[in-house]
Amino acid sequence: MTERLLVLLAGEVIGHLERRTESDDPTFSYTARYVSVGDVALSAKLPLRGEVHPTGKVKPFLFGLLPENAQARAASAARYGVHMDDAFGLLAGIGWDCAGAVQFCREEDLAELRNRTGDHRPISETQIADRIRELIGGEPSWTMPGEHWSLGGQQEKFALARINGEWHTAHGSSATTHIFKPGIKELHHQALIEHVTMRAAASVGVDIAHSTFTRFDDQWAIVVERFDRVVQGEYVQRLHQEDFAQACGRMPEYKYEDRGGPQLTDMMRVAKRETTDLDDARRALADFLIVNLVAGAPDGHSKNISLLRAPDGNRVAPLYDLATGLAYDAENVDRSVALSIGGQRNPSRIRRHQWEKAARTLGLEADLLIERTSMMAEAFPDAFEDSLSELQEVPGIDELRERALPRLKEHSRKVLERL
Ligand SMILES: Nc1ncnc2c1ncn2[C@@H]1O[C@H](COP(=O)(O)OP(=O)(O)OP(=O)(O)O)[C@@H](O)[C@H]1O
Ligand SMILES: [Mg+2]
């Protein structure tokens, strides 16, 4: 029997997924109405046309919305009685609030999904602390009963809404506005490092999501403001986005360039076709390359950069999920960048020649790119130190300063030397 899942964008039904049996991967079609009046495509791989988009094009987009963490996916799968590799079944359960403006629901749930908009329930500081503790303790589930949000990525996380200055859980189809991450368990102070790196990046001029490092009772987490949400009083508007793995049609397991993921050339191809202001996109991709190198951040893969899709145009979204690896000893982390610069991932081989090559791919003047790299490399260690100083009474600050700062300074000196 044919099974359908409705697809909504910014609250309106714009199409549906369809499959014949439970083991089939679904196809996707826009409604005839959305093809004629719609202005935002779901994905670069799913252009706004009146055709049935085949499963091969649909799958990377769907999987890109789901947690990559197997435990978290298995827990949601168990809750909804579906297989953990069944994206259709999973999204019917947890696809009511996703990255971007997309939502999924079964036809019979549409009325509930629409009615429940605005069902935000207050959550206390102690309850938030409990949730952080549960995640750290290895509880597999990321969502609680009644919550239907889904976010990609490997790390433990949960999402809440900040309405009128108070934290709320988002039930039914209500939107979340912030992402909470306690940090990677195996790495000391990881969430703190992510926050400090992101604030330092912002202060050297990178457009990056706003974060705080916040205490809830005795628990700490990085709290990241979602750039795909606009809060107006109690109403939360969704803006659409997709990451570059989705836009390049790659499954999440192919997010890293060295494991078959998109290269800068592929990302530029997407930028040329999809963005409204190409020069702006060139500079944003350049900043992604530069800041990952300068910060010594090893995880700048294609799911850590996104495209925002709005009726008035598409652009590269603010960056997110940026954390230096330099606080850790080299045996625990790979010092290479995830996305090669002029064909090189090893920082010691990224020299003027590689920047010149990258500049050609980006379509930017080499001098401009080199000048920007030089500016950021020079400013970054001080920015990191300033961002540490802004935090008071945070556990781990002194240790982080001691471990990361000398290495960041040394790293910057070498980046500059090679230019
Ligand atoms: N500030 C933000 N605004 C909107 N969406 C975001 C934001 N930060 C992250 N996201 C979305 O949530 C997803 C997961 O976030 P994030 O990359 O921080 O998680 P992660 O689990 O640490 O990822 P990774 O597997 O790369 O370590 C992202 O891929 C992106 O789609
Ligand atoms: Mg990520």
Side-chain angles (χ1 to χ4, degrees), residues 137-157:
E139 286 285 316
S141 182
W142 292 358
T143 54
M144 303 294 259
E147 296 183 355
H148 294 271
W149 58 264
S150 176
L151 282 169
Q154 278 290 354
Q155 312 319 325
E156 281 86 5
K157 57 179 75 65

Side-chain angles (χ1 to χ4, degrees), residues 224-300:
V224 189
E225 198 176 297
R226 294 186 65 152
F227 48 72
D228 57 353
R229 300 289 181 262
V230 181
V231 186
Q232 289 151 336
E234 294 193 357
Y235 177 69
V236 185
Q237 188 196 342
R238 294 178 165 95
L239 303 178
H240 194 43
Q241 65 162 331
E242 67 172 330
D243 64 52
F244 271 79
Q246 291 173 306
C248 294
R250 308 296 166 93
M251 289 288 278
E253 57 265 39
Y254 301 113
K255 64 189 176 184
Y256 285 103
E257 179 184 323
D258 71 330
R259 295 182 212 153
Q263 303 179 342
L264 184 62
T265 331
D266 303 306
M267 296 191 183
M268 265 313 292
R269 203 173 299 130
V270 167
K272 278 183 192 156
R273 238 186 5 236
E274 302 289 327
T275 61
T276 314
D277 180 345
L278 182 57
D279 283 334
D280 184 64
R282 293 183 205 279
R283 287 191 293 269
L285 284 170
D287 273 7
F288 181 60
L289 285 184
I290 300 169
V291 77
N292 275 282
L293 177 76
V294 162
D299 216 24

Side-chain angles (χ1 to χ4, degrees), residues 183-203:
I184 305 176
K185 287 193 266 277
E186 295 74 22
L187 297 172
H188 285 300
H189 307 307
Q190 194 274 331
L192 170 64
I193 291 172
E194 188 168 317
H195 166 72
V196 174
T197 310
M198 284 172 59
R199 293 332 307 145
S203 75

Side-chain angles (χ1 to χ4, degrees), residues 153-173:
Q154 278 290 354
Q155 312 319 325
E156 281 86 5
K157 57 179 75 65
F158 56 91
L160 297 176
R162 186 135 179 107
I163 312 278
N164 296 332
E166 305 286 343
W167 290 114
H168 293 77
T169 46
H171 291 262
S173 68

Side-chain angles (χ1 to χ4, degrees), residues 153 301 303-304 320-321:
H301 55 66
K303 287 186 72 62
N304 279 339
Y320 51 90
D321 199 10

